[in-house]
Amino acid sequence: MTTSANEFIDSEHKALYSKICNEEDKVTRELQAAMARHPLLDAKVRNITKVLPNLEVISQDAKQLSDMIGFASTLIENVSYKVRRLDVARSRVFECQQRVHDLLDLQLCCDGVKSSMNIGDFEKAAAHVHRYLSMDQRLLEKTADDVNQDSAAVNNSISLLQDAATKLRNILSDKFSEAVKNDDLASVERFFKLFPLLEMHDHGLDKYSDYLCTQIQTFSKTKIKTTLDNKNSDKRAGIIFADVITLLFEDIASTIEVQQPLVETYYGPGRILKLILKLQEECNKQIKVILNELWRTRQIEKYASMVRDKNRSTSTMKPPDPKDLDQLLAELTIIQSRYHLYLKFLKRKVAGERITEKEGEQNDLVAKLESKLQSSDLCRLMQELLNNYLLLEHFYMEESVRKAIQMDCVDQGSQTSSMLDDVFFIVKKCIRRASSTSNIDGVCVVINNACGVLETEMCSALMNTMKVGFPSGYLDLTQAYNVMMQGRLQTTDSEQSKAVFIAHLNNTDVGSEYINTLCTSLVSEVTCSTELERRKLESCLTGLSSVSAAMGASQELGLQQLRNTAIKPRVLSWLDSFSTLSHVLSEEEFSSYEANEPFIRGFIGNIDNFLSEFKGLLTGNNYETLVSILATEVNSLMEKVIMKTEFNRFGGLALDKEIRALVSYFSTATSWSVRDKLARLSQVGTVLNLEQVNEISDYWGSSPLPWRLTPVDIKKILKLRTDFSNDEINKVHF
Amino acid sequence: MDDYKFLFKVVLVGNAGVGKTCLVRRFTQGLFPPGQGATIGVDFMIKTVEIDNEKIKLQIWDTAGQERFRSITQSYYRSAHALILVYDISCQPTFDCLPDWLREIEEYASSKVLRVLVGNKIDRDDREIPTRVGEDFAQRHNMYYLETSAKESDNVEKLFNQIAAELMEQARCKELPRYDDGNLQNMNRRTTSVDVTCCGN
């Protein structure tokens, strides 16, 4: 027990002892370190003791400096106080001087006004009054009060100047009116420049605008008069109203152009709007006169109501000839385009004024102008005119297209008939004419109407031809072609309608192309000033794609008609000879069969004749589709004939060769491969050309082309071979 | 690339001041701009809505009501899939003009166009045309009927969404038999003026 206790104590002691030893070591190390720093500290203490007396000196110096700074500061405060006082005094002196100056000027102005007015030097008088008006009126009166002894004199001057100002105002107004009356431009401008000096900006602008308006009015009146007098003799008689309107707009524009610097110099920036709005009122009046005359002379109302009534049975009037409208439509579009240019000009004038720092104000001015313009007679009248233009343009397009379709003829050497080019010429002409108005809504309307006219007039005309179909009966296209070459005379109905059918089928093909071209050219031709306008245009152009679809439908129908009446019966008749030939051949018979080619030579010859007849008549696309349809028909009809025939080994071999010849003919006849269309027939040939039944297993699965024949088909075909037993055929597995 | 399955043209017509522009603004921008000036010519907006997880793009043509824009307005009837004829329930003359508008629609629009009659401004308390009268009129002329308020945003979304849903339904009915039909009929189908433009191109 004790030993273990001792051991325990021992171990405890040992731990404590080692801890103490560690600490002793640590303390010793620290002591040594402290001792090592001792000389260093000593040296530092010595240094400090040396510096100590210096510090006392520094402290004294600092105290002295602080005293000095305090002194200087109070001194400076005193000075600055005085300076402030001086400043106040100086500004008062300045003010005083100003007042004295004003008083002196007042006296001067007073005298000056009198003398200048006496000698009629209104510039000087106005300058004096302007000087007086630029003085602070309240201050002036106060000054008069302050200068007690002389207040009477000052007040006197003031009232005198007031009188002078009023008098001058009246005189100027009168003089201005007089100058206007005498049509004395120099004096008008002279007095116009003086108004702002007398703080009569609005009055001056009003008076001056009135003057300019009368100028415009006289100008416009003489123009209208001369126009009406020579309206029939002038070589531009057809668009004489557009010319007058152009002249009017140009006159107003040049007036604004000339007056803008004057107004801005003497009246300040932003004042031009008032002038423009005033001139606009006159413009409205004059435009109304001109348009009324236009309306009457050109009988727009009559034409418009004729057009509106044409669909109603009640109408008794004969609708106008579209040709008669041509010139009127041109005139109306010129008017619209001039109107747009004029509006653009006005906006630019107002927006382009020199106040760059006040952009908000600028926008306000433009907005004010726009709202005024929008509610103006000019705008309303132009919209009415546009409305009637669009109505007549629609009528023009519809009637012209109808006429072009009625007068349709097939020209010699042309794949398409005349209506195609004529109709697209008309449609393009109308859209271009509308786009010259620079009104995107107008362009969109004409595009919309064009879609309608193309669809309801042209596409339905083409569709009708396609529905009637390609005339059947005895077919000789060479004859039909010759008839076409000779023109329309001496033709039988059937030949004529064949030629028309082919031409109209080509119309559908070329027409789709034309629509695409029209679409792309319009996108680049029509200028849109905003994103919204572009989107409107693009949306309306998508309407043309439905016309394209309608064309495609007619084309499809036409080609089907060709299949039914031209291709199928012929192929069937060409195949007649096949069934009369035996395909159970001996070796000698095979050799002679191969040498004479009793069927395939004639068959390919027929096909070749048929295709070469159509090749020149059809457009590339239509021709290729025709070849493709022909190949498809040959493929299926020939298989049917084969299925009714018996073969032996040589017969099969002969057939396979025939089919190969056919396929290679088709491959050379077209630019693209029709091999695919004849794949099934080729496979029939391959099956019938087997030496033994079980060879089919080798072909099945290893053919480079996918099999178009089903196992059932193949077994049926194998049974056509008289030399194959049914048992063997039934045993074949796929 | 736009991602939508159907594209429909919707055209709004009706007398001046009945609130066509406000209906369109409310629907496309969620705004009710007071003191709206008269529309000049025709305005054009696009909004895509989603019905049964299908994106449908609506091209909305907002026409001017004033007589002097009639040539412009009329040219949009033909290609419209839906026509919204709007009148103001607090203004008898706008209701009285409806037969004139219908005559125009008969003359220019496709016979298959979806026609919707809308009585707008039901927020106003000076109503002159009772709902039943509007409904009767719509029924007699084989139109859908809805009363709206562009100001309070009442029934505006519903109006356009119902049109979109109805047009989509029509388009699908037409689309289905395509697979059974021959090539020819399929092509013919494309010629009808009121048809669907699928899978945005």
Side-chain angles (χ1 to χ4, degrees), chain A residues 75-92:
Chain A
L75 207 68
I76 287 165
E77 252 170 42
N78 278 341
V79 171
S80 85
Y81 172 69
K82 278 173 190 156
V83 167
R84 269 202 304 275
R85 292 281 302 271
L86 267 174
D87 216 29
V88 171
R90 204 185 58 130
S91 70
R92 291 214 176 133

Side-chain angles (χ1 to χ4, degrees), chain A residues 581 592-603 657-658 661:
Chain A
L581 291 167
S592 101
Y593 194 97
E594 222 191 344
N596 296 324
E597 294 183 329
F599 166 69
I600 199 68
R601 190 183 291 168
F603 190 57
K657 286 197 168 188
E658 284 176 325

Side-chain angles (χ1 to χ4, degrees), chain A residues 655-716:
Chain A
L655 177 77
D656 195 36
K657 286 197 168 188
E658 284 176 325
I659 290 172
R660 278 168 205 276
L662 191 63
V663 171
S664 83
Y665 166 75
F666 268 111
S667 306
T668 53
T670 56
S671 55
W672 48 282
S673 172
V674 286
R675 206 174 276 273
D676 196 47
K677 302 269 177 217
L678 295 163
R680 193 174 153 104
L681 188 62
S682 307
Q683 286 166 2
V684 171
T686 311
V687 173
L688 283 172
N689 192 22
L690 296 177
E691 274 185 58
Q692 284 176 341
V693 176
N694 51 18
E695 270 181 67
I696 187 66
S697 316
D698 299 338
Y699 281 99
W700 187 264
S702 66
S703 165
L705 272 174
W707 279 89
R708 302 292 171 91
L709 300 169
T710 63
V712 179
D713 289 336
I714 291 176
K715 284 188 179 174
K716 253 190 220 160

Side-chain angles (χ1 to χ4, degrees), chain A residues 311-312 380 383 387 390-391 441 444-445 448-449 451-452 455 463 532 536 539 550 552-553 556-557, chain B residues 9 40-44 59 61 67-72 75-76 78 107 183-184 187-188 190-191 193:
Chain A
N311 295 329
R312 297 183 186 126
R380 193 177 49 76
Q383 285 163 352
N387 190 45
L390 291 171
L391 183 76
D441 278 344
C444 284
V445 167
N448 288 342
N449 292 338
C451 293
E455 236 180 283
M463 194 53 150
L532 176 70
K536 273 186 185 174
S539 174
E556 181 80 2
L557 177 67
Chain B
K9 274 192 184 179
I40 308 238
V42 63
D43 205 359
F44 175 62
Q59 270 187 2
W61 292 89
E67 180 67 34
R68 64 174 180 276
F69 297 109
R70 218 33 60 87
S71 290
I72 296 179
S75 82
Y76 287 92
R78 203 184 60 88
E107 190 173 344
N183 247 347
L184 242 168
M187 293 300 288
N188 274 337
R190 275 206 267 143
T191 65
S193 59

